[in-house]
């Protein structure tokens, strides 16, 4: 006869799988990373939503917990940890320089620094003892959220607080500055989990990032914050985490704009956050304006958008524009276009307040995108944004080629004294014809979207360097993290110059004028469908590009994808050479008038683009006139035609040995869906009041 399971109290040390009884309810403990959360004992710890074949509804989730997102959370903890190490190191260095500079002691430069000033944000004391330092908020309703409700913070002691870094109606741990020893100073590092649900992400930030001084776990649902409070108590983190029942937008606006006169006199000063994490169900667009303002100067914004049916498809262009300020790309590279739309929304939201963004890591993962963006106060850098914003001419109905058009120009020039500066001016238009330069089909517009680099090579390298020292038991998805980040790192090699040197430990700030000249990937199999031929082996295709002197890498977005610094005429020239040399097309396979026919046979002069399209491809289809290709895109595999004065042609060699990747370690670049019904679960629903 089996013995009944032992019920534990919520105060006992948490362990995975234990049954916990609290207030007459039974819970099961689920572990992820170093954190534990409680779920109802009757619920499945790894739920799979069933498909409703009739009118039956899928069982509703009371509090949202999605184990599928463990990769997202593992990656977020590692990325925030790397960012935080650099941030706290910079604060320590700043404090030491201030202490060593006699002119700065006591602010003797004639400028008084206000409490809560960004410049002094690193002097905020280490937080401790939530319950003893909690302050009861005055519930006046001033500064309430946009829905007309006032945020109410709750801790496991049942108190409310106007604490450090937060607005009205919120508790925050603090430490009595009078009892703090001088040698106990520690850089402040605060995190806001704005849409916390179970609080798992906030718990992991506290448990796995040792220098974190305070975390706020916010949710609009009282049911969710009740769950957060239980999990905080179960993990014994009441001195670092505060739960808040509030509208996230309202709370971030309060953190950004509450004036000193409205702060509590008995509480520590209000400050912004070092990290804000937005992980909503759907789009993060409504939260971006408040989030960029609630960040400290140089803070990190982590945002997830799961509405890929909007930003990565052509089905709802009106909704995409309303949310992200641009139109989506229709085609195989739509997910990378979606990434740039999300970054465009963040950049334009920040630019209104003189804030410039620097994408550190931007990933398209499964059914969503995840971006890590540094936000700095720099009105000078904001001036570059128009020149880093583009519209895209997409041949989505034809061959899949694309051309870009920047909205403005950032031109480096020199004044009379020889000093270099940038001149910002309007761009010349149009950069492309209404017809595709390769196949002659009509193109469609996409964008505007972000045209700058979406990855920071130095930041990604630092995250990769940290992986050997972490526990595989704590970070169960470490293999996939290593594979995806390695692929994203390789993408940055397309824009590296030969003079570039390896980066140091600190994340290098990117050039504010830098443009990503290879913003999208292509999929060889999709191009082969256009001309109805068998696809070339990956090694042979890479070898062809490298033999011509071009760089080529994989894209993290999709398996089988390629990114290259070759132009589209060169790409199609290589595929036409593949047809001629290796994979002849069956007679009648390509119908006249299709995109494939125009590419193989050559464009009619009347439909070609002035210059490259009509003249180059109309008479000699297999060849590309190199005089029309930019100098930086011409490779080494060039030979003269027979006869003097003949134009140069690209000689393609499908060298598999040259294209073979020399990997010293096998990595998981693309993970297959581990089970059926893989994707986002149902939206959490429950009482909000």
């Amino acid at each position: 006869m089996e013995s009944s399971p032992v019920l534990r109290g919520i105060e006992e040390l948490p362990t995975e799988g234990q049954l916990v009884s609290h207030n007459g309810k039974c819970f099961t403990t689920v572990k992820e990373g170093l954190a534990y959360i409680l779920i109802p004992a009757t619920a499945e710890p790894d739920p799979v939503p069933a498909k409703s074949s009739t009118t039956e509804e899928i069982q509703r989730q009371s509090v949202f917990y999605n184990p599928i997102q463990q990769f997202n959370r593992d990656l977020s903890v590692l990325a925030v940890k790397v960012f935080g190490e650099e941030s706290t190191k910079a604060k320590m260095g700043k404090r030491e320089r201030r202490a060593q500079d006699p002119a700065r002691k006591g602010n003797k430069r004639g400028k008084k620094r206000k409490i809560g000033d960004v410049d002094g944000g690193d002097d905020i004391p280490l937080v401790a003892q939530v319950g003893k330092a909690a302050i009861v908020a005055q519930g006046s309703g001033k500064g309430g959220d946009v829905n007309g409700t006032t945020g109410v913070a709750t801790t496991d002691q049942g108190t409310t607080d106007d604490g450090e870094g937060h607005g009205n109606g919120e508790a925050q741990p603090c430490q009595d500055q009078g009892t703090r020893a001088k040698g106990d100073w520690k850089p402040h590092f605060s995190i806001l989990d704005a849409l916390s649900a179970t609080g798992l992400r906030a718990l992991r930030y506290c448990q796995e990032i040792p220098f974190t001084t305070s975390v706020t776990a916010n949710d609009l649902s009282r049911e969710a914050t009740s769950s957060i409070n239980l999990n905080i108590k179960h993990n014994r983190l009441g001195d670092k985490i505060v739960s808040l029942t509030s509208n996230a937008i309202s709370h971030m606006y309060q953190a950004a704009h509450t004036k000193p006169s409205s702060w509590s006199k008995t509480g520590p000063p209000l400050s912004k956050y070092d990290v804000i994490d937005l992980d909503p169900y759907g789009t993060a667009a409504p939260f971006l304006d408040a989030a960029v303002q609630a960040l400290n100067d140089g803070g990190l914004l982590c945002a997830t958008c799961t509405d890929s049916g909007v930003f990565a498809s052509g089905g709802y262009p009106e909704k995409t524009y309303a949310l992200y300020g641009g139109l989506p790309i229709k085609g195989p590279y739509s997910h990378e276009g979606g990434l740039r739309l999300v970054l465009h929304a963040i950049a334009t939201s920040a630019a209104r307040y003189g804030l410039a963004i620097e994408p550190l890591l931007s990933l398209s993962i499964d059914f969503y995108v995840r971006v890590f963006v540094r936000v700095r106060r720099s009105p000078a850098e904001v001036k570059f944004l128009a020149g880093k914003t583009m519209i895209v001419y997409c041949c989505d109905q034809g061959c899949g080629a694309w051309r870009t058009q920047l909205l403005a120009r950032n031109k480096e020039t020199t004044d009379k004294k020889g000093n270099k500066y940038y001149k910002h001016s309007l761009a010349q238009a149009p950069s492309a014809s209404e017809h595709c330069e390769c196949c002659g089909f009509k193109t469609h517009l996409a964008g505007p979207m972000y045209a700058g680099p979406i990855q920071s090579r130095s930041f990604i390298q630092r995250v990769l360097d940290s992986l050997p020292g972490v526990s595989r038991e704590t970070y169960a998805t470490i293999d996939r993290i290593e594979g995806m980040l390695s692929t994203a790192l390789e993408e940055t090699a397309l824009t590296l110059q030969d003079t570039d040197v390896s980066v140091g430990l600190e994340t290098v700030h990117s050039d504010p004028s830098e443009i990503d000249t290879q913003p999208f990937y292509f999929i060889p199999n999709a191009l082969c469908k256009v001309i109805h031929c068998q696809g070339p082996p990956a090694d042979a295709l890479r070898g062809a590009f490298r033999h011509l002197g071009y760089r080529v890498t994989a894209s993290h977005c999709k398996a089988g994808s390629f990114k290259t610094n070759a132009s589209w005429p060169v790409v199609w020239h290589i595929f036409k050479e593949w047809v001629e040399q290796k994979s002849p097309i069956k007679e009648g396979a390509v119908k006249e008038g299709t995109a494939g026919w125009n590419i193989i046979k050559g464009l009619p002069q009347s439909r070609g683009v002035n210059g490259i399209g009509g003249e180059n491809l109309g008479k000699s289809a297999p060849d590309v006139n190199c005089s029309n290709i930019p100098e930086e895109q011409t490779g080494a595999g060039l030979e003269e035609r027979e006869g003097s004065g003949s134009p140069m042609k690209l000689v393609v060699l499908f060298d598999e040995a040259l294209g073979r990747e020399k990997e010293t370690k096998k990595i998981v670049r693309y993970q297959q869906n581990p089970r059926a019904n893989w994707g986002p679960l149902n939206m959490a629903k429950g009482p909000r009041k």
Side-chain angles (χ1 to χ4, degrees):
M1 184 176 180
E2 295 184 0
S3 58
S4 58
V6 180
L7 294 178
R8 306 289 184 180
I10 196 170
E11 297 84 2
E12 294 194 25
L13 187 68
T15 58
E16 186 174 12
Q18 73 180 164
L19 292 179
V20 175
S21 178
H22 181 71
N23 290 342
K25 297 180 180 179
C26 187
F27 301 91
T28 301
T29 302
V30 176
K31 181 182 180 183
E32 182 180 296
L34 296 180
Y36 299 85
I37 66 167
L38 298 173
I39 65 172
T42 56
E44 291 289 336
D46 193 17
V48 180
K51 293 182 178 179
S52 52
S53 55
T54 59
T55 57
E56 297 179 0
E57 295 181 354
I58 300 176
Q59 185 176 4
R60 188 173 66 183
Q61 297 169 252
S62 58
V63 175
F64 192 79
Y65 168 62
N66 189 355
I68 295 171
Q69 291 282 57
Q70 182 175 357
F71 173 79
N72 185 318
R73 290 185 285 267
D74 286 351
L75 175 64
S76 298
V77 173
L78 293 171
V80 171
K81 186 176 181 180
V82 167
F83 171 82
E85 288 172 349
E86 179 184 343
S87 176
T88 53
K89 181 181 177 181
K91 290 178 181 179
M92 291 287 289
K94 185 176 179 180
R95 182 179 175 86
E96 291 174 1
R97 289 191 300 271
R98 185 182 293 118
Q100 294 172 1
D101 187 356
R104 287 193 173 188
K105 289 185 177 179
N107 283 335
K108 295 181 180 179
R109 291 194 171 187
K111 180 181 179 181
K112 294 183 179 180
R113 190 184 63 200
K114 295 180 180 180
I115 297 176
D117 192 354
V118 171
D119 185 57
D122 54 347
D123 288 331
I124 299 171
L126 175 65
V127 295
Q129 303 300 327
V130 179
K132 296 180 181 179
I135 305 148
V136 179
Q138 293 182 356
S140 60
K142 295 182 180 180
D145 61 36
V146 293
N147 293 332
T149 60
T150 303
V152 179
T154 58
T155 67
D156 52 357
Q157 288 84 4
T159 57
T160 58
D161 179 31
D162 279 334
E164 174 186 340
H166 310 288
N168 183 31
E170 186 222 338
Q172 174 64 22
C174 60
Q175 179 176 342
D176 185 1
Q177 298 188 43
T179 60
R180 180 170 57 91
K182 185 176 181 180
D184 292 341
W185 184 89
K186 186 177 180 181
H188 187 70
F189 190 74
S190 58
I191 302 174
L192 170 64
D193 185 9
L195 306 156
S196 198
T198 60
L200 176 57
R201 196 177 295 257
L203 293 168
R204 293 195 60 181
Y205 284 145
C206 268
Q207 293 280 39
E208 299 168 33
I209 304 179
F211 48 81
T212 301
T213 54
S214 66
V215 176
T216 300
N218 176 80
D219 203 282
L220 185 60
S221 166
R222 291 189 181 276
E223 185 179 358
T225 49
S226 296
S227 176
I228 293 171
N229 287 330
L230 285 178
N231 291 327
I232 291 173
K233 192 170 184 178
H234 194 47
N235 285 266
R236 303 178 178 182
L237 290 173
D239 61 333
K240 280 191 176 183
I241 304 181
V242 175
S243 66
L244 172 65
T245 306
S246 175
N247 181 290
I249 299 174
S250 171
H251 171 65
M252 290 187 287
Y253 277 135
Q254 290 177 28
H257 298 295
T258 301
K259 296 181 179 180
S261 59
S262 64
W263 297 346
S264 172
K265 295 181 180 179
T266 56
L270 182 72
S271 70
K272 301 177 182 181
Y273 292 97
D274 294 294
V275 178
I276 293 180
D277 195 319
L278 302 175
D279 187 28
Y281 187 94
T283 179
F287 306 95
L288 297 180
D289 186 86
V292 295
Q293 297 180 69
L295 279 170
N296 279 325
D297 189 11
L300 181 69
L301 175 62
C302 315
T304 301
C305 292
T306 63
D307 56 332
S308 56
V310 175
F311 62 72
S313 75
Y316 308 96
E318 72 289 349
K319 188 171 182 63
T320 310
Y321 186 83
L323 292 176
Y324 301 105
L327 298 174
I329 288 177
K330 183 179 179 182
Y333 43 90
S334 60
H335 286 269
E336 193 161 9
L339 269 175
R340 294 186 177 276
L341 284 172
V342 173
L343 291 173
H344 171 71
I346 298 174
T348 52
S349 296
R352 299 185 185 100
Y353 310 103
L355 303 173
I357 74 162
E358 180 187 2
L360 300 180
L361 179 61
S362 309
L363 300 175
S364 174
I365 309 165
D366 298 332
F367 51 87
Y368 62 93
V369 297
R370 179 72 166 167
V371 296
F372 299 84
V373 179
R374 193 204 317 260
V375 181
R376 296 197 302 271
R377 179 166 296 280
S378 178
E381 288 189 24
V382 171
K383 296 179 181 179
F384 290 86
L385 181 58
K388 295 171 67 174
T389 304
M390 65 182 178
I391 57 175
V392 185
Y393 300 90
C394 309
C395 184
D396 49 20
Q397 301 296 325
C399 66
W402 45 263
R403 288 289 296 271
T404 61
Q405 166 73 61
L406 296 175
L407 299 186
R409 290 188 295 182
N410 300 319
K411 185 178 180 181
E412 188 178 24
T413 185
T414 306
D415 61 16
K416 294 180 180 180
K417 296 182 179 181
N419 300 320
K420 293 183 178 180
Y421 70 98
Y422 279 94
K423 184 178 181 180
H424 309 285
S425 60
L426 300 176
Q428 186 177 357
S431 65
S433 168
E434 62 178 323
H435 294 100
C436 174
E437 61 181 331
C438 297
C439 70
F441 272 50
K442 287 185 178 181
T443 57
H444 291 103
L445 281 177
M449 61 183 64
Y450 188 73
I454 64 174
Q455 316 287 6
S456 168
R457 184 175 181 84
S458 57
F459 181 79
I460 296 175
Q461 187 62 63
R462 291 183 64 220
V463 178
L464 286 171
D465 291 342
S466 70
L467 296 184
V470 303
S471 169
R472 289 183 172 271
E473 182 180 352
T474 303
Y475 301 93
T477 62
I478 189 172
D479 289 333
R480 191 184 182 194
I481 291 175
E482 182 181 14
M484 181 166 283
L485 294 190
S486 297
T487 308
L489 182 66
E490 291 172 4
E491 293 179 28
T492 65
L494 293 176
T495 56
L496 284 180
Q497 303 296 326
D498 295 335
T499 56
D500 287 347
V501 294
S502 59
V503 298
L505 291 178
E506 295 187 357
T507 303
V508 180
H509 296 323
S510 62
D511 179 359
S513 65
E514 186 178 0
I515 300 298
D516 191 346
T517 55
Q518 293 80 36
F520 306 116
Y521 59 87
F522 71 89
I523 299 179
N525 288 342
L527 302 190
C528 290
K529 289 180 180 178
V530 174
I531 55 178
H532 295 270
C533 72
Q534 292 184 348
D539 291 343
L541 187 57
R542 279 192 295 265
F545 281 104
R546 290 172 181 171
H547 177 260
L548 293 175
Y550 297 103
R551 291 174 177 172
V552 60
T553 71
S555 171
H556 76 275
C557 293
K558 188 170 289 190
S561 57
F562 279 71
K563 295 193 77 170
T564 178
N565 59 343
S567 64
W568 269 102
V570 174
V571 172
W572 274 118
H573 176 71
I574 290 174
F575 275 85
K576 288 185 289 184
E577 285 293 309
W578 169 256
V579 170
E580 284 200 354
Q581 297 181 26
K582 304 289 185 178
S583 180
I585 301 174
K586 294 181 180 180
E587 187 175 353
V590 181
K591 296 181 179 180
E592 186 173 357
T594 62
W597 175 275
N598 292 338
I599 289 172
I600 296 300
K601 300 298 183 180
L603 292 176
Q605 290 289 335
S606 60
R607 293 186 63 191
V609 179
N610 294 334
I612 296 178
E615 296 177 6
N616 300 334
L617 301 179
K619 295 183 179 179
S620 55
D623 299 332
V624 174
N625 189 339
C626 298
S627 62
N628 287 314
I629 302 175
E631 182 178 353
E632 63 272 14
Q633 291 190 356
T634 54
L638 303 177
E639 293 183 4
E640 288 192 15
R641 290 181 183 169
E642 296 180 1
S644 59
S646 300
M648 305 292 283
K649 65 170 287 188
L650 296 178
V651 178
V652 180
L653 178 63
F654 295 93
D655 189 343
E656 294 194 24
L658 181 61
R660 191 169 295 116
E661 297 285 6
K662 300 177 178 62
E663 291 186 350
T664 57
K665 180 182 178 182
K666 260 196 168 183
I667 56 178
V668 182
R669 293 183 181 271
Y670 308 99
Q671 178 173 295
Q672 296 295 323
N673 293 346
R675 69 181 188 203
N677 301 316
W678 180 260
L681 301 182
N682 295 334
M683 184 176 182
K685 296 180 180 179
R688 293 187 175 183
K689 294 184 179 180

